[in-house]
Amino acid sequence: MSLRGIEFHTEESPQAILKSADGSLSLKTNKGTVEGFSHIMFATGRRPNTKNLGLETVGVKMTKTGAIEVDEFSCTSVPSIWAVGDVTDRINLTPVALMEGGALAKTLFGNEPTKPDYRAVPSAVFCQPPIGQVGLTEEQAIQKYEDIDVYTANFRPLKATLSGLPDRVFMKLIVCAKTNKVLGLHMCGEDSPEIVQGFAVAVRAGLTKADFDATVGIHPTAAEELVTMRTPTRKIRNSSPPEMIYYKRKGRGGSDKEILASIEPQSR
Protein backbone atom coordinates (compact mmCIF):
# COMPACT_ATOMS: atom_id res chain seq x y z
CA MET A 1 0.00 0.00 0.00
CA SER A 2 1.44 3.41 -0.95
CA LEU A 3 0.47 7.01 -0.23
CA ARG A 4 2.29 9.97 -1.79
CA GLY A 5 5.58 8.12 -2.11
CA ILE A 6 5.29 6.22 1.18
CA GLU A 7 4.82 2.47 0.84
CA PHE A 8 3.35 0.53 3.77
CA HIS A 9 4.12 -3.14 4.40
CA THR A 10 1.45 -4.29 6.82
CA GLU A 11 1.68 -7.34 9.08
CA GLU A 12 5.42 -7.72 8.45
CA SER A 13 8.07 -8.13 11.13
CA PRO A 14 11.70 -7.05 10.49
CA GLN A 15 14.20 -9.89 10.82
CA ALA A 16 17.52 -8.60 9.47
CA ILE A 17 19.24 -5.71 7.71
CA LEU A 18 21.48 -6.76 4.84
CA LYS A 19 24.23 -4.63 3.26
CA SER A 20 25.01 -5.06 -0.43
CA ALA A 21 28.40 -4.67 -2.12
CA ASP A 22 27.41 -1.21 -3.39
CA GLY A 23 26.63 -0.06 0.16
CA SER A 24 22.85 -0.10 -0.19
CA LEU A 25 20.71 -1.69 2.50
CA SER A 26 17.92 -4.25 2.32
CA LEU A 27 15.35 -5.12 4.95
CA LYS A 28 14.45 -8.77 5.38
CA THR A 29 11.02 -9.43 6.89
CA ASN A 30 8.92 -12.48 7.59
CA LYS A 31 7.32 -12.06 4.15
CA GLY A 32 10.28 -11.18 1.95
CA THR A 33 13.06 -8.65 1.33
CA VAL A 34 12.69 -4.96 0.52
CA GLU A 35 15.77 -3.58 -1.24
CA GLY A 36 17.46 -0.34 -2.23
CA PHE A 37 17.78 1.85 0.87
CA SER A 38 20.54 4.27 1.85
CA HIS A 39 19.32 4.45 5.46
CA ILE A 40 16.99 2.44 7.70
CA MET A 41 15.39 3.94 10.81
CA PHE A 42 14.01 1.90 13.69
CA ALA A 43 10.80 3.03 15.41
CA THR A 44 9.76 -0.23 16.99
CA GLY A 45 8.97 0.76 20.58
CA ARG A 46 10.37 -0.78 23.73
CA ARG A 47 9.40 -2.71 26.87
CA PRO A 48 9.90 -1.48 30.45
CA ASN A 49 13.10 -2.89 31.95
CA THR A 50 11.58 -4.24 35.18
CA LYS A 51 12.96 -7.77 35.23
CA ASN A 52 15.13 -8.97 38.12
CA LEU A 53 14.05 -6.13 40.42
CA GLY A 54 12.06 -8.39 42.72
CA LEU A 55 8.87 -6.40 42.19
CA GLU A 56 6.72 -9.52 42.01
CA THR A 57 8.14 -10.67 45.33
CA VAL A 58 6.95 -7.58 47.19
CA GLY A 59 3.59 -7.54 45.40
CA VAL A 60 3.96 -4.69 42.91
CA LYS A 61 1.42 -5.19 40.14
CA MET A 62 2.61 -4.99 36.53
CA THR A 63 1.03 -5.20 33.10
CA LYS A 64 1.63 -8.01 30.63
CA THR A 65 4.41 -5.98 29.03
CA GLY A 66 6.20 -5.43 32.34
CA ALA A 67 5.05 -1.86 32.99
CA ILE A 68 4.47 -0.92 36.62
CA GLU A 69 0.83 -0.14 37.37
CA VAL A 70 0.33 3.14 39.24
CA ASP A 71 -2.59 5.31 40.31
CA GLU A 72 -3.16 8.99 39.45
CA PHE A 73 -0.48 10.02 41.95
CA SER A 74 2.13 7.49 40.68
CA CYS A 75 1.69 5.13 43.64
CA THR A 76 2.00 1.40 42.93
CA SER A 77 -0.10 -1.38 44.43
CA VAL A 78 2.33 -1.32 47.37
CA PRO A 79 1.69 1.96 49.28
CA SER A 80 5.38 2.49 50.09
CA ILE A 81 6.57 2.11 46.47
CA TRP A 82 6.14 4.79 43.81
CA ALA A 83 7.12 4.84 40.14
CA VAL A 84 7.46 7.49 37.45
CA GLY A 85 8.80 7.66 33.90
CA ASP A 86 8.86 5.20 31.03
CA VAL A 87 8.72 2.24 33.42
CA THR A 88 5.04 3.09 34.01
CA ASP A 89 4.30 3.22 30.25
CA ARG A 90 2.12 6.33 30.37
CA ILE A 91 3.64 8.88 27.96
CA ASN A 92 7.18 7.72 27.29
CA LEU A 93 9.00 11.03 26.91
CA THR A 94 11.89 12.36 29.01
CA PRO A 95 10.23 15.72 29.80
CA VAL A 96 7.07 13.85 30.85
CA ALA A 97 9.14 11.76 33.27
CA LEU A 98 10.55 15.00 34.70
CA MET A 99 7.03 16.37 35.10
CA GLU A 100 5.90 13.17 36.81
CA GLY A 101 8.91 13.33 39.13
CA GLY A 102 8.12 16.93 40.03
CA ALA A 103 4.53 16.04 40.82
CA LEU A 104 5.71 13.12 42.96
CA ALA A 105 8.14 15.34 44.88
CA LYS A 106 5.31 17.75 45.71
CA THR A 107 3.12 14.84 46.81
CA LEU A 108 5.70 13.12 49.00
CA PHE A 109 7.81 15.98 50.33
CA GLY A 110 5.81 19.16 49.84
CA ASN A 111 2.57 18.12 51.50
CA GLU A 112 0.87 19.06 48.22
CA PRO A 113 -0.80 16.04 46.56
CA THR A 114 -0.24 16.57 42.84
CA LYS A 115 -1.29 14.46 39.87
CA PRO A 116 0.82 14.48 36.69
CA ASP A 117 -0.90 16.65 34.08
CA TYR A 118 -0.94 15.13 30.60
CA ARG A 119 -2.94 17.85 28.87
CA ALA A 120 -1.39 19.14 25.64
CA VAL A 121 1.96 17.36 25.92
CA PRO A 122 4.01 18.37 22.84
CA SER A 123 6.25 15.89 21.06
CA ALA A 124 8.42 15.65 17.98
CA VAL A 125 9.93 13.13 15.61
CA PHE A 126 13.45 14.18 14.67
CA CYS A 127 13.43 12.78 11.17
CA GLN A 128 14.01 14.63 7.90
CA PRO A 129 11.85 16.65 7.66
CA PRO A 130 11.01 16.71 11.38
CA ILE A 131 7.48 16.47 12.74
CA GLY A 132 6.02 18.31 15.72
CA GLN A 133 2.60 18.12 17.34
CA VAL A 134 0.65 19.19 20.39
CA GLY A 135 -2.93 18.57 21.43
CA LEU A 136 -5.53 16.37 19.80
CA THR A 137 -5.38 14.65 16.45
CA GLU A 138 -8.24 15.24 14.04
CA GLU A 139 -9.76 11.84 14.88
CA GLN A 140 -9.53 12.46 18.63
CA ALA A 141 -11.09 15.91 18.27
CA ILE A 142 -14.04 14.52 16.27
CA GLN A 143 -14.66 11.84 18.87
CA LYS A 144 -14.56 14.28 21.79
CA TYR A 145 -16.06 17.47 20.34
CA GLU A 146 -17.90 16.27 17.18
CA ASP A 147 -17.97 19.68 15.46
CA ILE A 148 -14.52 20.90 14.41
CA ASP A 149 -12.91 23.15 11.84
CA VAL A 150 -9.64 22.05 10.25
CA TYR A 151 -7.15 24.56 8.85
CA THR A 152 -4.25 23.33 6.74
CA ALA A 153 -1.38 24.89 4.82
CA ASN A 154 1.03 23.18 2.44
CA PHE A 155 3.67 25.51 1.06
CA ARG A 156 7.27 26.09 0.07
CA PRO A 157 8.86 28.41 2.66
CA LEU A 158 10.44 31.60 1.38
CA LYS A 159 13.88 30.45 2.54
CA ALA A 160 13.61 27.41 0.28
CA THR A 161 12.34 29.54 -2.59
CA LEU A 162 15.38 31.85 -2.41
CA SER A 163 17.86 28.99 -2.00
CA GLY A 164 16.29 26.81 -4.67
CA LEU A 165 15.77 23.92 -2.26
CA PRO A 166 12.70 21.70 -2.77
CA ASP A 167 11.70 21.84 0.91
CA ARG A 168 8.02 22.11 1.79
CA VAL A 169 6.07 22.60 5.02
CA PHE A 170 2.71 21.20 6.07
CA MET A 171 0.70 22.64 8.97
CA LYS A 172 -2.65 21.80 10.52
CA LEU A 173 -4.76 23.54 13.14
CA ILE A 174 -7.76 21.76 14.69
CA VAL A 175 -10.37 24.08 16.18
CA CYS A 176 -13.55 23.39 18.16
CA ALA A 177 -16.40 24.86 16.10
CA LYS A 178 -18.50 25.66 19.17
CA THR A 179 -15.89 27.35 21.39
CA ASN A 180 -13.28 28.42 18.80
CA LYS A 181 -10.63 26.85 21.04
CA VAL A 182 -7.52 25.48 19.31
CA LEU A 183 -7.53 21.76 20.12
CA GLY A 184 -4.50 20.57 18.18
CA LEU A 185 -1.53 21.83 16.19
CA HIS A 186 0.54 19.67 13.85
CA MET A 187 3.49 20.50 11.62
CA CYS A 188 5.90 18.71 9.30
CA GLY A 189 8.86 20.65 7.98
CA GLU A 190 12.13 22.27 8.96
CA ASP A 191 12.23 23.60 12.56
CA SER A 192 8.91 21.90 13.43
CA PRO A 193 10.04 20.88 16.95
CA GLU A 194 11.21 24.42 17.80
CA ILE A 195 8.06 26.03 16.42
CA VAL A 196 5.65 23.60 18.06
CA GLN A 197 7.37 23.98 21.43
CA GLY A 198 6.48 27.67 21.44
CA PHE A 199 2.91 27.18 20.24
CA ALA A 200 2.40 24.43 22.83
CA VAL A 201 2.13 27.17 25.45
CA ALA A 202 -0.80 28.68 23.57
CA VAL A 203 -2.57 25.35 23.05
CA ARG A 204 -2.16 24.35 26.70
CA ALA A 205 -3.38 27.77 27.81
CA GLY A 206 -6.60 27.16 25.87
CA LEU A 207 -6.25 30.06 23.44
CA THR A 208 -8.79 30.40 20.66
CA LYS A 209 -8.42 30.70 16.92
CA ALA A 210 -9.29 34.38 17.36
CA ASP A 211 -6.26 34.73 19.64
CA PHE A 212 -4.09 33.16 16.96
CA ASP A 213 -5.57 35.45 14.29
CA ALA A 214 -4.93 38.53 16.41
CA THR A 215 -1.24 37.67 16.83
CA VAL A 216 1.13 39.48 14.48
CA GLY A 217 3.42 37.14 12.57
CA ILE A 218 7.16 37.42 12.06
CA HIS A 219 7.95 37.79 8.37
CA PRO A 220 9.49 35.97 6.61
CA THR A 221 9.09 32.81 8.69
CA ALA A 222 7.26 29.54 8.22
CA ALA A 223 5.78 29.89 11.72
CA GLU A 224 3.77 32.99 10.76
CA GLU A 225 1.50 30.72 8.71
CA LEU A 226 0.04 29.41 11.97
CA VAL A 227 -1.32 32.87 12.82
CA THR A 228 -2.49 33.75 9.29
CA MET A 229 -4.76 30.81 8.41
CA ARG A 230 -8.12 32.45 7.81
CA THR A 231 -10.29 29.92 5.93
CA PRO A 232 -10.98 26.34 7.10
CA THR A 233 -9.90 23.60 4.73
CA ARG A 234 -12.86 21.54 5.90
CA LYS A 235 -15.67 21.74 8.43
CA ILE A 236 -16.69 18.53 10.13
CA ARG A 237 -20.16 18.46 11.66
CA ASN A 238 -21.42 15.30 13.32
CA SER A 239 -24.20 16.81 15.39
CA SER A 240 -26.10 18.49 12.55
CA PRO A 241 -27.28 17.72 8.99
CA PRO A 242 -24.81 18.03 6.11
CA GLU A 243 -23.75 21.59 5.43
CA MET A 244 -25.02 22.85 2.06
CA ILE A 245 -23.00 25.35 0.05
CA TYR A 246 -23.36 26.99 -3.34
CA TYR A 247 -20.46 27.63 -5.66
CA LYS A 248 -20.09 28.75 -9.25
CA ARG A 249 -18.04 27.26 -12.05
CA LYS A 250 -17.68 28.09 -15.71
CA GLY A 251 -20.07 26.14 -17.92
CA ARG A 252 -19.89 25.61 -21.66
CA GLY A 253 -19.60 28.86 -23.54
CA GLY A 254 -18.06 30.57 -20.52
CA SER A 255 -21.32 31.10 -18.62
CA ASP A 256 -21.44 30.71 -14.85
CA LYS A 257 -23.26 27.63 -13.68
CA GLU A 258 -24.53 27.49 -10.13
CA ILE A 259 -23.97 24.14 -8.44
CA LEU A 260 -25.48 22.89 -5.20
CA ALA A 261 -22.99 20.80 -3.29
CA SER A 262 -23.24 18.93 -0.04
CA ILE A 263 -20.43 18.65 2.47
CA GLU A 264 -21.09 15.35 4.18
CA PRO A 265 -20.09 15.04 7.82
CA GLN A 266 -17.08 12.81 8.35
CA SER A 267 -18.04 9.49 9.87
CA ARG A 268 -16.83 8.82 13.36
PDB file of all heavy atoms in Angstrom, residues 138-139 142 148-152 170 172-175 231-237 243 263-264 266:
ATOM      1  N   GLU A 138      -6.936  14.962  14.627  1.00  0.00           N
ATOM      2  CA  GLU A 138      -8.243  15.240  14.036  1.00  0.00           C
ATOM      3  C   GLU A 138      -9.264  14.188  14.475  1.00  0.00           C
ATOM      4  O   GLU A 138     -10.398  14.525  14.825  1.00  0.00           O
ATOM      5  CB  GLU A 138      -8.120  15.261  12.511  1.00  0.00           C
ATOM      6  CG  GLU A 138      -9.367  15.736  11.795  1.00  0.00           C
ATOM      7  CD  GLU A 138      -9.142  15.960  10.316  1.00  0.00           C
ATOM      8  OE1 GLU A 138      -7.989  16.269   9.924  1.00  0.00           O
ATOM      9  OE2 GLU A 138     -10.116  15.850   9.550  1.00  0.00           O
ATOM     10  N   GLU A 139      -8.846  12.923  14.487  1.00  0.00           N
ATOM     11  CA  GLU A 139      -9.759  11.845  14.880  1.00  0.00           C
ATOM     12  C   GLU A 139     -10.175  11.977  16.343  1.00  0.00           C
ATOM     13  O   GLU A 139     -11.345  11.789  16.698  1.00  0.00           O
ATOM     14  CB  GLU A 139      -9.098  10.486  14.633  1.00  0.00           C
ATOM     15  CG  GLU A 139      -8.892  10.135  13.173  1.00  0.00           C
ATOM     16  CD  GLU A 139      -7.726  10.877  12.545  1.00  0.00           C
ATOM     17  OE1 GLU A 139      -6.932  11.510  13.298  1.00  0.00           O
ATOM     18  OE2 GLU A 139      -7.608  10.850  11.312  1.00  0.00           O
ATOM     19  N   ILE A 142     -12.694  14.872  16.743  1.00  0.00           N
ATOM     20  CA  ILE A 142     -14.036  14.525  16.272  1.00  0.00           C
ATOM     21  C   ILE A 142     -14.758  13.681  17.315  1.00  0.00           C
ATOM     22  O   ILE A 142     -15.939  13.898  17.615  1.00  0.00           O
ATOM     23  CB  ILE A 142     -13.954  13.764  14.935  1.00  0.00           C
ATOM     24  CG1 ILE A 142     -13.439  14.685  13.832  1.00  0.00           C
ATOM     25  CG2 ILE A 142     -15.320  13.191  14.554  1.00  0.00           C
ATOM     26  CD1 ILE A 142     -13.123  13.965  12.544  1.00  0.00           C
ATOM     27  N   ILE A 148     -15.835  20.265  14.440  1.00  0.00           N
ATOM     28  CA  ILE A 148     -14.525  20.902  14.413  1.00  0.00           C
ATOM     29  C   ILE A 148     -14.275  21.545  13.057  1.00  0.00           C
ATOM     30  O   ILE A 148     -14.883  21.174  12.049  1.00  0.00           O
ATOM     31  CB  ILE A 148     -13.390  19.901  14.715  1.00  0.00           C
ATOM     32  CG1 ILE A 148     -13.290  18.842  13.608  1.00  0.00           C
ATOM     33  CG2 ILE A 148     -13.573  19.258  16.077  1.00  0.00           C
ATOM     34  CD1 ILE A 148     -12.047  17.971  13.714  1.00  0.00           C
ATOM     35  N   ASP A 149     -13.406  22.537  13.063  1.00  0.00           N
ATOM     36  CA  ASP A 149     -12.905  23.150  11.837  1.00  0.00           C
ATOM     37  C   ASP A 149     -11.430  22.808  11.711  1.00  0.00           C
ATOM     38  O   ASP A 149     -10.684  22.858  12.698  1.00  0.00           O
ATOM     39  CB  ASP A 149     -13.073  24.672  11.872  1.00  0.00           C
ATOM     40  CG  ASP A 149     -14.536  25.094  11.884  1.00  0.00           C
ATOM     41  OD1 ASP A 149     -15.366  24.333  11.359  1.00  0.00           O
ATOM     42  OD2 ASP A 149     -14.838  26.180  12.419  1.00  0.00           O
ATOM     43  N   VAL A 150     -11.026  22.445  10.501  1.00  0.00           N
ATOM     44  CA  VAL A 150      -9.639  22.053  10.255  1.00  0.00           C
ATOM     45  C   VAL A 150      -9.007  23.032   9.271  1.00  0.00           C
ATOM     46  O   VAL A 150      -9.529  23.246   8.175  1.00  0.00           O
ATOM     47  CB  VAL A 150      -9.558  20.618   9.707  1.00  0.00           C
ATOM     48  CG1 VAL A 150      -8.103  20.227   9.455  1.00  0.00           C
ATOM     49  CG2 VAL A 150     -10.205  19.637  10.671  1.00  0.00           C
ATOM     50  N   TYR A 151      -7.912  23.634   9.690  1.00  0.00           N
ATOM     51  CA  TYR A 151      -7.153  24.561   8.850  1.00  0.00           C
ATOM     52  C   TYR A 151      -5.845  23.895   8.460  1.00  0.00           C
ATOM     53  O   TYR A 151      -5.140  23.338   9.319  1.00  0.00           O
ATOM     54  CB  TYR A 151      -6.844  25.856   9.599  1.00  0.00           C
ATOM     55  CG  TYR A 151      -8.052  26.654  10.028  1.00  0.00           C
ATOM     56  CD1 TYR A 151      -8.817  26.258  11.122  1.00  0.00           C
ATOM     57  CD2 TYR A 151      -8.417  27.819   9.354  1.00  0.00           C
ATOM     58  CE1 TYR A 151      -9.925  26.986  11.528  1.00  0.00           C
ATOM     59  CE2 TYR A 151      -9.521  28.554   9.753  1.00  0.00           C
ATOM     60  CZ  TYR A 151     -10.269  28.134  10.840  1.00  0.00           C
ATOM     61  OH  TYR A 151     -11.360  28.874  11.233  1.00  0.00           O
ATOM     62  N   THR A 152      -5.508  23.920   7.179  1.00  0.00           N
ATOM     63  CA  THR A 152      -4.251  23.326   6.740  1.00  0.00           C
ATOM     64  C   THR A 152      -3.516  24.286   5.801  1.00  0.00           C
ATOM     65  O   THR A 152      -4.129  25.146   5.158  1.00  0.00           O
ATOM     66  CB  THR A 152      -4.466  21.990   6.003  1.00  0.00           C
ATOM     67  OG1 THR A 152      -5.247  22.214   4.823  1.00  0.00           O
ATOM     68  CG2 THR A 152      -5.149  20.978   6.904  1.00  0.00           C
ATOM     69  N   PHE A 170       4.147  21.446   5.910  1.00  0.00           N
ATOM     70  CA  PHE A 170       2.713  21.199   6.073  1.00  0.00           C
ATOM     71  C   PHE A 170       2.320  21.537   7.502  1.00  0.00           C
ATOM     72  O   PHE A 170       3.020  21.169   8.456  1.00  0.00           O
ATOM     73  CB  PHE A 170       2.358  19.736   5.786  1.00  0.00           C
ATOM     74  CG  PHE A 170       0.906  19.417   6.036  1.00  0.00           C
ATOM     75  CD1 PHE A 170      -0.064  19.785   5.112  1.00  0.00           C
ATOM     76  CD2 PHE A 170       0.502  18.776   7.194  1.00  0.00           C
ATOM     77  CE1 PHE A 170      -1.406  19.519   5.340  1.00  0.00           C
ATOM     78  CE2 PHE A 170      -0.824  18.504   7.434  1.00  0.00           C
ATOM     79  CZ  PHE A 170      -1.787  18.870   6.504  1.00  0.00           C
ATOM     80  N   LYS A 172      -1.221  22.050  10.282  1.00  0.00           N
ATOM     81  CA  LYS A 172      -2.647  21.802  10.520  1.00  0.00           C
ATOM     82  C   LYS A 172      -3.041  22.361  11.879  1.00  0.00           C
ATOM     83  O   LYS A 172      -2.356  22.144  12.878  1.00  0.00           O
ATOM     84  CB  LYS A 172      -2.959  20.306  10.475  1.00  0.00           C
ATOM     85  CG  LYS A 172      -4.419  19.969  10.785  1.00  0.00           C
ATOM     86  CD  LYS A 172      -4.640  18.483  11.026  1.00  0.00           C
ATOM     87  CE  LYS A 172      -4.649  17.707   9.733  1.00  0.00           C
ATOM     88  NZ  LYS A 172      -5.096  16.290   9.963  1.00  0.00           N
ATOM     89  N   LEU A 173      -4.144  23.088  11.900  1.00  0.00           N
ATOM     90  CA  LEU A 173      -4.764  23.539  13.135  1.00  0.00           C
ATOM     91  C   LEU A 173      -6.136  22.887  13.250  1.00  0.00           C
ATOM     92  O   LEU A 173      -6.906  22.869  12.283  1.00  0.00           O
ATOM     93  CB  LEU A 173      -4.940  25.062  13.146  1.00  0.00           C
ATOM     94  CG  LEU A 173      -3.711  25.936  13.379  1.00  0.00           C
ATOM     95  CD1 LEU A 173      -4.101  27.407  13.305  1.00  0.00           C
ATOM     96  CD2 LEU A 173      -3.082  25.630  14.732  1.00  0.00           C
ATOM     97  N   ILE A 174      -6.457  22.367  14.430  1.00  0.00           N
ATOM     98  CA  ILE A 174      -7.761  21.761  14.685  1.00  0.00           C
ATOM     99  C   ILE A 174      -8.476  22.613  15.719  1.00  0.00           C
ATOM    100  O   ILE A 174      -7.956  22.844  16.815  1.00  0.00           O
ATOM    101  CB  ILE A 174      -7.601  20.323  15.192  1.00  0.00           C
ATOM    102  CG1 ILE A 174      -6.827  19.495  14.158  1.00  0.00           C
ATOM    103  CG2 ILE A 174      -8.951  19.694  15.479  1.00  0.00           C
ATOM    104  CD1 ILE A 174      -6.360  18.160  14.670  1.00  0.00           C
ATOM    105  N   VAL A 175      -9.663  23.095  15.368  1.00  0.00           N
ATOM    106  CA  VAL A 175     -10.375  24.080  16.182  1.00  0.00           C
ATOM    107  C   VAL A 175     -11.775  23.573  16.514  1.00  0.00           C
ATOM    108  O   VAL A 175     -12.478  23.043  15.645  1.00  0.00           O
ATOM    109  CB  VAL A 175     -10.466  25.428  15.443  1.00  0.00           C
ATOM    110  CG1 VAL A 175     -11.215  26.457  16.279  1.00  0.00           C
ATOM    111  CG2 VAL A 175      -9.068  25.941  15.089  1.00  0.00           C
ATOM    112  N   THR A 231      -9.152  30.686   6.451  1.00  0.00           N
ATOM    113  CA  THR A 231     -10.290  29.920   5.927  1.00  0.00           C
ATOM    114  C   THR A 231     -10.105  28.437   6.208  1.00  0.00           C
ATOM    115  O   THR A 231      -9.057  27.872   5.889  1.00  0.00           O
ATOM    116  CB  THR A 231     -10.422  30.125   4.407  1.00  0.00           C
ATOM    117  OG1 THR A 231     -10.510  31.525   4.129  1.00  0.00           O
ATOM    118  CG2 THR A 231     -11.661  29.422   3.881  1.00  0.00           C
ATOM    119  N   PRO A 232     -11.105  27.784   6.826  1.00  0.00           N
ATOM    120  CA  PRO A 232     -10.984  26.345   7.098  1.00  0.00           C
ATOM    121  C   PRO A 232     -10.852  25.545   5.808  1.00  0.00           C
ATOM    122  O   PRO A 232     -11.500  25.839   4.805  1.00  0.00           O
ATOM    123  CB  PRO A 232     -12.288  26.003   7.818  1.00  0.00           C
ATOM    124  CG  PRO A 232     -12.832  27.308   8.303  1.00  0.00           C
ATOM    125  CD  PRO A 232     -12.382  28.332   7.319  1.00  0.00           C
ATOM    126  N   THR A 233     -10.009  24.532   5.849  1.00  0.00           N
ATOM    127  CA  THR A 233      -9.904  23.603   4.728  1.00  0.00           C
ATOM    128  C   THR A 233     -11.136  22.711   4.669  1.00  0.00           C
ATOM    129  O   THR A 233     -11.633  22.379   3.603  1.00  0.00           O
ATOM    130  CB  THR A 233      -8.645  22.733   4.880  1.00  0.00           C
ATOM    131  OG1 THR A 233      -7.501  23.595   4.967  1.00  0.00           O
ATOM    132  CG2 THR A 233      -8.483  21.786   3.707  1.00  0.00           C
ATOM    133  N   ARG A 234     -11.639  22.340   5.829  1.00  0.00           N
ATOM    134  CA  ARG A 234     -12.859  21.539   5.901  1.00  0.00           C
ATOM    135  C   ARG A 234     -13.547  21.768   7.241  1.00  0.00           C
ATOM    136  O   ARG A 234     -12.888  22.061   8.242  1.00  0.00           O
ATOM    137  CB  ARG A 234     -12.567  20.052   5.710  1.00  0.00           C
ATOM    138  CG  ARG A 234     -11.516  19.471   6.628  1.00  0.00           C
ATOM    139  CD  ARG A 234     -11.199  18.028   6.248  1.00  0.00           C
ATOM    140  NE  ARG A 234     -10.052  17.508   6.980  1.00  0.00           N
ATOM    141  CZ  ARG A 234      -8.794  17.662   6.597  1.00  0.00           C
ATOM    142  NH1 ARG A 234      -8.526  18.325   5.478  1.00  0.00           N
ATOM    143  NH2 ARG A 234      -7.802  17.155   7.299  1.00  0.00           N
ATOM    144  N   LYS A 235     -14.862  21.625   7.225  1.00  0.00           N
ATOM    145  CA  LYS A 235     -15.671  21.740   8.433  1.00  0.00           C
ATOM    146  C   LYS A 235     -16.358  20.401   8.661  1.00  0.00           C
ATOM    147  O   LYS A 235     -17.062  19.915   7.785  1.00  0.00           O
ATOM    148  CB  LYS A 235     -16.716  22.847   8.284  1.00  0.00           C
ATOM    149  CG  LYS A 235     -16.120  24.241   8.131  1.00  0.00           C
ATOM    150  CD  LYS A 235     -17.221  25.284   8.048  1.00  0.00           C
ATOM    151  CE  LYS A 235     -16.640  26.687   7.955  1.00  0.00           C
ATOM    152  NZ  LYS A 235     -17.710  27.734   7.921  1.00  0.00           N
ATOM    153  N   ILE A 236     -16.129  19.835   9.820  1.00  0.00           N
ATOM    154  CA  ILE A 236     -16.692  18.529  10.134  1.00  0.00           C
ATOM    155  C   ILE A 236     -17.794  18.712  11.165  1.00  0.00           C
ATOM    156  O   ILE A 236     -17.573  19.268  12.242  1.00  0.00           O
ATOM    157  CB  ILE A 236     -15.609  17.575  10.665  1.00  0.00           C
ATOM    158  CG1 ILE A 236     -14.525  17.386   9.592  1.00  0.00           C
ATOM    159  CG2 ILE A 236     -16.202  16.232  11.062  1.00  0.00           C
ATOM    160  CD1 ILE A 236     -13.293  16.674  10.067  1.00  0.00           C
ATOM    161  N   ARG A 237     -18.995  18.297  10.801  1.00  0.00           N
ATOM    162  CA  ARG A 237     -20.160  18.463  11.664  1.00  0.00           C
ATOM    163  C   ARG A 237     -20.835  17.105  11.840  1.00  0.00           C
ATOM    164  O   ARG A 237     -21.420  16.564  10.911  1.00  0.00           O
ATOM    165  CB  ARG A 237     -21.150  19.465  11.055  1.00  0.00           C
ATOM    166  CG  ARG A 237     -20.549  20.849  10.792  1.00  0.00           C
ATOM    167  CD  ARG A 237     -20.266  21.575  12.090  1.00  0.00           C
ATOM    168  NE  ARG A 237     -19.794  22.929  11.860  1.00  0.00           N
ATOM    169  CZ  ARG A 237     -18.504  23.275  11.793  1.00  0.00           C
ATOM    170  NH1 ARG A 237     -17.572  22.336  11.925  1.00  0.00           N
ATOM    171  NH2 ARG A 237     -18.140  24.518  11.591  1.00  0.00           N
ATOM    172  N   GLU A 243     -23.781  20.168   5.759  1.00  0.00           N
ATOM    173  CA  GLU A 243     -23.748  21.588   5.429  1.00  0.00           C
ATOM    174  C   GLU A 243     -23.877  21.764   3.923  1.00  0.00           C
ATOM    175  O   GLU A 243     -23.174  21.118   3.151  1.00  0.00           O
ATOM    176  CB  GLU A 243     -22.422  22.188   5.913  1.00  0.00           C
ATOM    177  CG  GLU A 243     -22.286  23.673   5.621  1.00  0.00           C
ATOM    178  CD  GLU A 243     -20.956  24.228   6.102  1.00  0.00           C
ATOM    179  OE1 GLU A 243     -20.229  23.495   6.771  1.00  0.00           O
ATOM    180  OE2 GLU A 243     -20.672  25.391   5.777  1.00  0.00           O
ATOM    181  N   ILE A 263     -21.608  19.080   1.717  1.00  0.00           N
ATOM    182  CA  ILE A 263     -20.433  18.654   2.470  1.00  0.00           C
ATOM    183  C   ILE A 263     -20.912  17.653   3.498  1.00  0.00           C
ATOM    184  O   ILE A 263     -21.557  18.007   4.491  1.00  0.00           O
ATOM    185  CB  ILE A 263     -19.754  19.860   3.158  1.00  0.00           C
ATOM    186  CG1 ILE A 263     -19.338  20.897   2.129  1.00  0.00           C
ATOM    187  CG2 ILE A 263     -18.548  19.390   3.959  1.00  0.00           C
ATOM    188  CD1 ILE A 263     -18.693  22.106   2.737  1.00  0.00           C
ATOM    189  N   GLU A 264     -20.624  16.397   3.275  1.00  0.00           N
ATOM    190  CA  GLU A 264     -21.087  15.345   4.177  1.00  0.00           C
ATOM    191  C   GLU A 264     -20.236  15.345   5.437  1.00  0.00           C
ATOM    192  O   GLU A 264     -19.029  15.479   5.392  1.00  0.00           O
ATOM    193  CB  GLU A 264     -20.984  13.978   3.491  1.00  0.00           C
ATOM    194  CG  GLU A 264     -21.874  13.841   2.269  1.00  0.00           C
ATOM    195  CD  GLU A 264     -23.349  13.809   2.635  1.00  0.00           C
ATOM    196  OE1 GLU A 264     -23.643  13.571   3.829  1.00  0.00           O
ATOM    197  OE2 GLU A 264     -24.177  14.001   1.752  1.00  0.00           O
ATOM    198  N   GLN A 266     -17.996  13.952   8.313  1.00  0.00           N
ATOM    199  CA  GLN A 266     -17.082  12.813   8.352  1.00  0.00           C
ATOM    200  C   GLN A 266     -17.578  11.798   9.370  1.00  0.00           C
ATOM    201  O   GLN A 266     -18.003  12.139  10.457  1.00  0.00           O
ATOM    202  CB  GLN A 266     -15.680  13.279   8.750  1.00  0.00           C
ATOM    203  CG  GLN A 266     -14.651  12.171   8.786  1.00  0.00           C
ATOM    204  CD  GLN A 266     -13.273  12.741   8.917  1.00  0.00           C
ATOM    205  OE1 GLN A 266     -12.942  13.738   8.323  1.00  0.00           O
ATOM    206  NE2 GLN A 266     -12.446  12.103   9.734  1.00  0.00           N
TER     207      GLN A 266
END
